[in-house]
Amino acid sequence: WVNRVKLVPSIMSNMLNPDAIFSNNEMSLSDIEIYGFDYDYTLVFYSKHLHTLIFNAARDLLINEHRYPAEIRKYDYDPNFAIRGLHYDVHRALLMKIDAFHYIQLGTVYRGLSVVPDEEVIAMYDGSHVPLEQMSDFYGKVKPQTQFMDIFSLPEMTLLSCVNEYFLKNNIDYEPVHLYKDVKDSIRDVHIKGIMYRAIEADIEKYICYAEQTRAVLAKLADHGKKMFLITNSPSSFVDKGMKFIVGKDWRDLFDVVIVQADKPNFFNDKRRPFRKVNERGVLLWDKIHKLQKGQIYKQGNLYEFLKLTGWRGSKVLYFGDHIYSDLADLTLKHGWRTGAIIPELRSEIKIMNTEKYIQTMTWLQTLTGLLEHMQVHRDPDSQMILEEWKKERKEMREINRNFFNAQFGSLFRTDENPTYFLRRLSRFADIYMASLSCLLNYEPDYTFYPRRTPLQHELPGWSDQLCTGTFRIPFLQETVQIK
């Protein structure tokens, strides 16, 4: 075959910056007067130890409170098993990756810890398409398919898969719906019962990744006269200790409004719950709230009351969060705020995409696709034999490409060819997205983000056509003897 190194485009000298901010929608920071933030995985990042803690605690709750076999304790958390954005078939106990067009990516369907053969998947779903009415809504209300969008859901997916694996390996008859609910309740209880919060507060240096850049981002915004607020579902004492660790004892001086235990996404939709002030000892006061004061901490409340008390409306507000549904969807669809998604996985994926090995693989994969597209008109036996060889190699290259990111599920953002369902939602509900808030330090406060004009399918020749006619010419059938 051709020397594949020669097919690597000049992108190697113009690689993507992992610390860049990417735009889905044109937005100028000069228009932004107020910055809002979620807490977990937005202002604060956690170490690898946290997901192990959540997995172990939820596993113990399954055993101690839901009477699951003690033998499941032999399963440990594997940080390399699942990725965010996967779908779970609650009735069939299958974890899978779905693209933006609701098609299952074959080869990424797992029952327990084992991949399900493609032919079995196709037989179960009468193909590989999942109808819209079977997929969960924004907030994961249980339909046949539910989606895991939260970073905290990584241990949940892994625990589900491990318990499924145990039941299957031991020929235990079980109801998948009950297992899903029990695991979901156990993960929830790790948060609600304070298990996670107490563990982090007891050893904050182990679980929180200290980053002085968080302080630098907030200080930069304050220096330019921007108002700032915090809306989080986490409790007051937990947030206070975490912010003192990563920002400093004076962290509240940087924020105009602080709201804890907000119960997002209900905070954005429920008009009934009033705010309550939390005093220095964490006690809830009964005073009626007429104004949200700087330096104070408030609990509960709702966005409609928040807007009435602050007057912070519309596109002058930019809110950052890591959960595309709970943090960003309602603000975009109902309230006209600008939104920024924090996607920690972005930095590592871009670093992989910048490697020469990845670029070589992707270039050759695209070349094979172009060859197949142009050569398929030839029906003679020799041509068909070559086409079949190319199809086989293309499939192998796709598997190699997937393994660059995650051996089971591949990239967070792409299936073999299409964007993932996760990326589709990210594109719809986030004006901009980035790996962390520290990326803001690379931009001036009046910077305008312009989305790249990506050619539509009918606007410019496809890449395969450019390969055939441009710098990276690929041979036609009559030239195949030269590339064997």
Side-chain angles (χ1 to χ4, degrees):
W1 296 96
V2 291
N3 183 351
R4 297 176 188 180
V5 176
K6 292 181 180 178
L7 293 172
V8 178
S10 59
I11 192 172
M12 285 300 296
S13 61
N14 188 29
M15 295 184 289
L16 289 170
N17 180 2
D19 296 315
I21 295 176
F22 301 91
S23 176
N24 292 319
N25 193 16
E26 185 172 326
M27 185 185 74
S28 177
L29 293 180
S30 61
D31 297 329
I32 305 300
E33 300 174 10
I34 305 118
Y35 285 75
F37 306 92
D38 180 32
Y39 177 69
D40 297 298
Y41 287 107
T42 300
L43 287 172
V44 63
F45 279 64
Y46 297 101
S47 72
K48 61 183 180 180
H49 302 293
L50 181 59
H51 286 175
T52 300
L53 165 71
I54 295 171
F55 178 93
N56 291 342
R59 183 192 59 195
D60 291 345
L61 286 172
L62 279 179
I63 295 169
N64 298 330
E65 297 191 8
H66 296 275
R67 297 190 173 186
Y68 276 67
E71 288 80 4
I72 66 172
R73 199 171 269 120
K74 70 180 182 181
Y75 292 98
D76 295 320
Y77 178 64
D78 180 2
N80 299 314
F81 176 70
I83 63 171
R84 199 153 49 120
L86 298 178
H87 281 77
Y88 185 75
D89 189 319
V90 176
H91 297 282
R92 294 187 174 101
L94 298 176
L95 189 65
M96 68 190 71
K97 186 176 177 182
I98 294 180
D99 74 11
F101 300 96
H102 298 192
Y103 282 93
I104 300 166
Q105 182 180 3
L106 297 176
T108 68
V109 180
Y110 276 75
R111 182 186 288 117
L113 301 175
S114 302
V115 68
V116 180
D118 293 350
E119 56 271 16
E120 188 177 340
V121 174
I122 291 169
M124 279 190 289
Y125 291 94
D126 293 323
S128 59
H129 184 263
V130 180
L132 176 62
E133 62 269 15
Q134 294 185 18
M135 300 178 75
S136 65
D137 64 9
F138 292 167
Y139 308 122
K141 292 180 181 177
V142 179
K143 294 184 180 182
Q145 292 269 359
T146 189
Q147 189 179 19
F148 292 105
M149 296 292 277
D150 194 348
I151 298 176
F152 285 126
S153 67
L154 291 170
E156 181 177 356
M157 286 184 275
T158 307
L159 183 59
L160 262 175
S161 299
C162 288
V163 180
N164 273 316
E165 180 76 4
Y166 174 80
F167 286 154
L168 292 167
K169 291 292 185 184
N170 291 276
N171 297 314
I172 297 173
D173 189 27
Y174 70 103
E175 173 52 63
V177 175
H178 298 332
L179 171 60
Y180 170 77
K181 184 180 185 302
D182 291 344
V183 170
K184 190 176 186 67
D185 288 349
S186 296
I187 292 288
R188 180 203 62 199
D189 287 347
V190 172
H191 296 263
I192 289 180
K193 292 184 177 181
I195 298 170
M196 184 188 82
Y197 300 129
R198 288 193 296 272
I200 294 174
E201 289 183 42
D203 197 349
I204 205 162
E205 293 186 2
K206 176 180 179 180
Y207 292 106
I208 291 184
C209 297
Y210 178 73
E212 59 185 15
Q213 287 181 313
T214 301
R215 169 85 190 199
V217 169
L218 298 175
K220 178 180 178 180
L221 295 175
D223 289 343
H224 285 87
K226 306 297 182 181
K227 294 185 180 297
M228 288 181 283
F229 64 92
L230 170 62
I231 302 178
T232 176
N233 288 347
S234 293
S236 175
S237 62
F238 176 73
V239 173
D240 184 56
K241 289 184 180 179
M243 290 297 285
K244 284 178 179 176
F245 179 69
I246 62 172
V247 176
K249 293 182 179 180
D250 62 341
W251 72 270
R252 275 198 250 172
D253 295 339
L254 294 168
F255 289 89
D256 294 271
V257 178
V258 176
I259 300 166
V260 299
Q261 291 180 275
D263 191 28
K264 295 178 293 182
N266 292 329
F267 180 86
F268 301 127
N269 299 291
D270 189 346
K271 299 181 180 180
R272 295 170 296 179
R273 299 184 315 156
F275 286 105
R276 296 194 72 170
K277 187 182 292 186
V278 183
N279 71 10
E280 294 296 329
R281 298 188 304 277
V283 177
L284 290 173
L285 305 181
W286 46 262
D287 310 53
K288 184 174 178 63
I289 305 301
H290 296 281
K291 182 181 180 182
L292 297 176
Q293 298 175 316
K294 187 169 184 175
Q296 300 295 324
I297 294 180
Y298 300 90
K299 179 182 175 182
Q300 299 177 348
N302 65 83
L303 185 63
Y304 299 91
E305 188 72 10
F306 177 88
L307 296 175
K308 186 169 79 171
L309 294 173
T310 63
W312 296 344
R313 298 177 181 276
S315 58
K316 65 183 179 181
V317 185
L318 172 58
Y319 185 79
F320 291 96
D322 68 290
H323 198 301
I324 297 169
Y325 296 162
S326 296
D327 287 326
L328 309 181
D330 288 314
L331 296 178
T332 297
L333 294 175
K334 298 179 181 179
H335 303 289
W337 285 12
R338 310 310 294 265
T339 52
I342 303 300
I343 313 293
E345 303 94 334
L346 186 64
R347 183 172 280 116
S348 60
E349 290 218 7
I350 289 177
K351 288 180 179 178
I352 291 169
M353 292 164 60
N354 282 340
T355 62
E356 184 175 355
K357 190 172 182 180
Y358 174 83
I359 293 172
Q360 286 182 0
T361 302
M362 279 304 302
T363 305
W364 184 240
L365 182 56
Q366 290 294 81
T367 302
L368 280 172
T369 303
L371 283 164
L372 286 166
E373 182 179 3
H374 285 277
M375 305 284 192
Q376 64 183 319
V377 296
H378 298 276
R379 301 296 181 181
D380 61 278
D382 289 342
S383 299
Q384 289 297 306
M385 181 183 69
I386 293 172
L387 286 168
E388 289 304 314
E389 290 177 2
W390 284 342
K391 287 179 183 178
K392 180 181 178 182
E393 183 173 6
R394 183 171 180 253
K395 183 178 181 181
E396 293 171 353
M397 297 300 289
R398 282 178 162 181
E399 292 176 1
I400 291 172
N401 182 59
R402 182 195 309 164
N403 289 337
F404 279 122
F405 302 99
N406 175 281
Q408 292 73 233
F409 302 101
S411 167
L412 174 65
F413 304 100
R414 275 201 175 275
T415 55
D416 287 331
E417 291 295 331
N418 296 325
T420 57
Y421 195 85
F422 177 91
L423 183 62
R424 177 183 179 183
R425 293 310 201 186
L426 173 65
S427 301
R428 176 65 184 89
F429 299 133
D431 291 292
I432 56 176
Y433 63 101
M434 66 208 76
S436 69
L437 284 175
S438 63
C439 298
L440 283 170
L441 296 173
N442 300 323
Y443 299 84
E444 294 300 320
D446 59 352
Y447 187 90
T448 298
F449 295 100
Y450 296 97
R452 297 173 184 173
R453 183 180 173 89
T454 305
L456 302 175
Q457 293 294 313
H458 65 274
E459 288 184 320
L460 287 174
W463 195 20
S464 59
D465 294 326
Q466 294 179 38
L467 285 170
C468 291
T469 59
T471 306
F472 305 105
R473 177 176 171 78
I474 57 175
F476 285 101
L477 187 65
Q478 60 267 30
E479 299 170 296
T480 55
V481 292
Q482 300 175 19
I483 61 171
K484 292 191 73 173

